[in-house]
Each structure stands twice: as structure tokens, then as C-alpha cells.
Amino acid sequence: MSRIDDNMDFVPVRIAVLTVSDTRQMDDDKSGQTLVDRIAAAGHHLAYRKILPDEREQIAGQLRAWCADDAVDVVISTGGTGLTGRDVTVEAHRDVYEKEIDAFGTVFTIVSMQKIGTSAVQSRATAGVAQGTYLFALPGSPGACKDAWDEILSKQLDFRHRPCNFVEIMPRLDEHLRRK
């Protein structure tokens, strides 16, 4: 069963938050702020925070820049995961991924189903890895960000979480690049 091993030390990670929106500014970015607050409360470090418009190339470019930055271990984006024409965050993430974490979207849907029922089917939350950095794309609602953080990310980004977690394998994410 899933648990926190209190005999182990907490290992903070450096997380960048990207809000994707054509209309949001820092002062009204509730989803981004929800993530920032939870990151701090958990003991992790906010590496960067930025807002970009729903433009695939800009989003992918920012993801690539943060993946290349040694000050970033994890990128969490919020917004642009829906079904409308301007929702291109998932495509931008997939332009960057080396490997997709397929089960993340499935687990997020299961969590969402418990909160919003069949409306969860409209989310395209996704996750992957690039250049040794974890990338998570969450819907743009504060509730979705809370659910993803509270039910999935807070556990998987905690080194003490058992039986396994994302942090413990972080040093090996880019091992294929070091062998060349």
C-alpha cells in the first residue's frame, strides 16, 4: 500500500509553473497560484513562474528552455488541455517529450471522475520526460490543479513515498544521454 516512510529525509525538487492562457495575468492566475501555494507548502522550491498564450511553438520553446536549465527538475503547466481549437498545450508537451508517462492521464481521469463525474472525459492531462526533467500538463481550473497535486503529484514528488516515486529515479532519467 502507498505510504510515506518517515525514516527517510524529504528531498525538495525545483519546480517551474507555466500557465497557458490568452487572458490570464499574474494577479488573476488562480490555477498557477494554487500550484505555487502547494509547491511551497510541500517544501519544494519554485524555480520559475510564467504565463504564455495558447501558442504551440511558444509553449514548446519554454518547455525546452526549462528542460535545459539545471535549476529545474519538474515543469507543471496549467491550461490548454481541453478540446477547443486554441487548446494546444498537450501537443506542445508531446513535441518535447522523449518519453510519455501514459498512466498519468489515466490516474488523473480516475481522480477527476470522483470529483466531477463524466466531465473528466474532456481533460487531456498528460505527462512525460525530456532531458531528465518531468513535465506535467494539467487543466486550467484551480480544482483540477488541486486534484492533480493533492492526489498524484504531492505523493510522486515526495522521495519518502513508498513503494516508489518519481524523485528516486530522477538521477537516471537522462542516463541514455550520458552513455553516448
Side-chain angles (χ1 to χ4, degrees):
M1 193 68 180
S2 160
R3 64 182 174 82
I4 296 294
D5 184 346
D6 292 323
N7 294 317
M8 301 181 75
D9 291 330
F10 178 78
V11 177
V13 296
R14 298 160 300 182
I15 304 172
V17 174
L18 176 63
T19 298
V20 177
S21 174
D22 288 331
T23 60
R24 294 281 177 245
Q25 304 297 321
M26 283 295 178
D27 61 344
D28 66 353
D29 176 20
K30 293 178 183 173
S31 296
Q33 191 61 49
T34 295
L35 291 168
V36 168
D37 293 345
R38 279 169 161 67
I39 289 164
H44 296 297
H45 303 294
L46 180 67
Y48 301 101
R49 182 177 179 191
K50 190 168 191 169
I51 297 175
L52 286 178
D54 292 277
E55 297 293 340
R56 184 173 176 170
E57 289 306 316
Q58 285 186 46
I59 298 163
Q62 185 61 68
L63 296 175
R64 285 186 187 100
W66 282 341
C67 287
D69 188 332
D70 289 337
V72 178
D73 300 311
V74 176
V75 177
I76 305 173
S77 69
T78 174
T81 63
L83 302 172
T84 67
R86 295 285 295 153
D87 291 326
V88 296
T89 302
V90 173
E91 289 74 19
H93 269 252
R94 289 183 174 147
D95 289 344
V96 177
Y97 292 165
E98 294 166 4
K99 293 183 179 184
E100 191 159 358
I101 305 171
D102 298 314
F104 180 81
T106 303
V107 172
F108 180 79
T109 301
I110 291 167
V111 168
S112 294
M113 280 285 296
Q114 296 169 356
K115 308 285 176 124
I116 62 172
T118 61
S119 295
V121 76
Q122 293 186 32
S123 170
R124 298 186 304 137
T126 186
V129 177
Q131 292 182 261
T133 303
Y134 288 109
L135 302 159
F136 301 95
L138 308 179
S141 75
C145 291
K146 288 176 188 175
D147 293 344
W149 182 269
D150 295 351
E151 302 298 329
I152 305 168
L153 296 176
S154 68
K155 296 167 180 65
Q156 283 300 300
L157 295 177
D158 189 330
F159 181 73
R160 304 166 301 167
H161 185 264
R162 295 289 164 246
C164 59
N165 61 77
F166 288 142
V167 179
E168 66 188 347
I169 61 172
M170 201 176 290
R172 295 179 26 226
L173 292 178
D174 63 355
E175 65 189 0
H176 65 289
L177 300 174
R178 295 190 305 264
R179 289 189 199 156
K180 290 184 178 182

